[in-house]
């Protein structure tokens, strides 16, 4: 089992920045590809970004490309999501997820999920 805990959500004005962190425990963190997903009000959960086990491959949804950056520190068992130039449409609950294999963008491909952290962007 892998336990994931996200922190860093909050209320921010449009154009602002937030940094989310997701701390993992329970298994060898570097064995897992990590992803960030989000679920806005009345919407399905959607892919945001993912990073490979060594951090060498990263993929982003078109909607966040150029504004969000994923990174990981395997020594700290933590994955980060730096969010810049936030827009009201980024408002959602953000989840991190772990997958014991290569990166994928489909949420169904992830085995472990955090509880989520809420991000609200005001206009």
């Amino acid at each position: 089992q892998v336990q994931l805990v996200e922190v860093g959500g909050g209320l921010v004005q449009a154009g602002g920045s937030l940094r989310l962190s997701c701390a993992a425990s329970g298994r060898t963190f570097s064995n897992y590809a990590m992803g960030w997903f989000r679920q806005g009000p009345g919407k399905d959960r959607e892919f945001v970004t993912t990073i490979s086990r060594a951090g060498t491959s990263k993929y982003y949804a078109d909607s966040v490309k150029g504004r969000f950056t994923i990174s990981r520190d395997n020594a700290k068992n933590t994955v980060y999501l730096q969010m810049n130039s936030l827009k009201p449409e980024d408002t959602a609950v953000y989840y991190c997820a772990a997958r014991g294999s290569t990166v994928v963008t489909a949420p169904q491909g992830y085995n472990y999920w955090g509880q989520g952290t809420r991000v609200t962007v005001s206009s």
Side-chain angles (χ1 to χ4, degrees), residues 14 86-92 121-123:
L86 282 161
K87 304 175 181 179
E89 50 264 43
D90 295 318
T91 294
V121 184
S122 63
S123 56

Side-chain angles (χ1 to χ4, degrees), residues 3-6 22 45 94-98 112-117:
Q3 292 78 43
L4 303 171
V5 178
E6 305 100 329
C22 173
R45 191 168 299 189
Y94 283 72
Y95 300 89
C96 74
Y112 304 101
W113 292 83
Q115 82 290 347
T117 185

Side-chain angles (χ1 to χ4, degrees), residues 23-79:
S25 61
R27 292 284 178 90
T28 304
F29 181 66
S30 59
N31 287 345
Y32 292 84
M34 300 297 296
W36 285 96
F37 295 80
R38 66 187 182 186
Q39 188 164 15
K43 298 181 180 179
D44 294 332
R45 191 168 299 189
E46 65 174 359
F47 166 75
V48 176
T49 180
T50 184
I51 187 169
S52 62
R53 289 168 286 189
T56 52
S57 296
K58 304 174 185 180
Y59 301 92
Y60 296 91
D62 288 342
S63 58
V64 307
K65 206 170 291 183
R67 300 187 298 121
F68 289 12
T69 302
I70 190 171
S71 61
R72 67 189 295 162
D73 186 337
N74 286 346
K76 295 184 178 180
N77 294 346
T78 302
V79 62

